[in-house]
Amino acid sequence: MLTVASRSETAAVGFIWRVARAVAARLGRVDEAHAARCRLAALPGEVLRDSGIAPCDAVGEATWQPELPFFMQDGFGERGR
């Protein structure tokens, strides 16, 4: 049987859809930032050291990805860098 939803039910469903779209967009940006970080990490250190090119210049990606938490940033946890 088809029923007519109340205004509060319609508003609640609309709110849930807006939240779901916002979460999906955020996760998409995080995935893109993580992929950029992986492209930077894939460069061998020897190649960069021998060529003298900075990783961000070689790949065209920023070394800091604002969508990622600090512990996922390039170089986190490395000593003597």
Side-chain angles (χ1 to χ4, degrees):
M1 175 178 257
L2 194 58
T3 61
V4 177
S6 69
R7 286 185 183 182
S8 62
E9 290 172 338
T10 304
V13 169
F15 174 75
I16 290 169
W17 277 110
R18 285 191 302 275
V19 169
R21 281 195 306 265
V23 168
R26 169 84 170 129
L27 291 176
R29 290 190 306 269
V30 170
D31 285 344
E32 291 170 10
H34 186 63
R37 186 194 171 287
C38 289
R39 285 189 293 272
L40 280 172
L43 293 174
E46 300 81 33
V47 172
L48 297 173
R49 184 178 58 242
D50 292 344
S51 66
I53 299 173
C56 57
D57 294 334
V59 178
E61 302 285 355
T63 54
W64 177 262
Q65 298 295 328
E67 296 294 332
L68 297 177
F70 70 94
F71 56 85
M72 292 183 75
Q73 298 296 334
D74 187 44
F76 176 77
E78 294 178 11
R79 290 185 172 186
R81 202 169 207 215

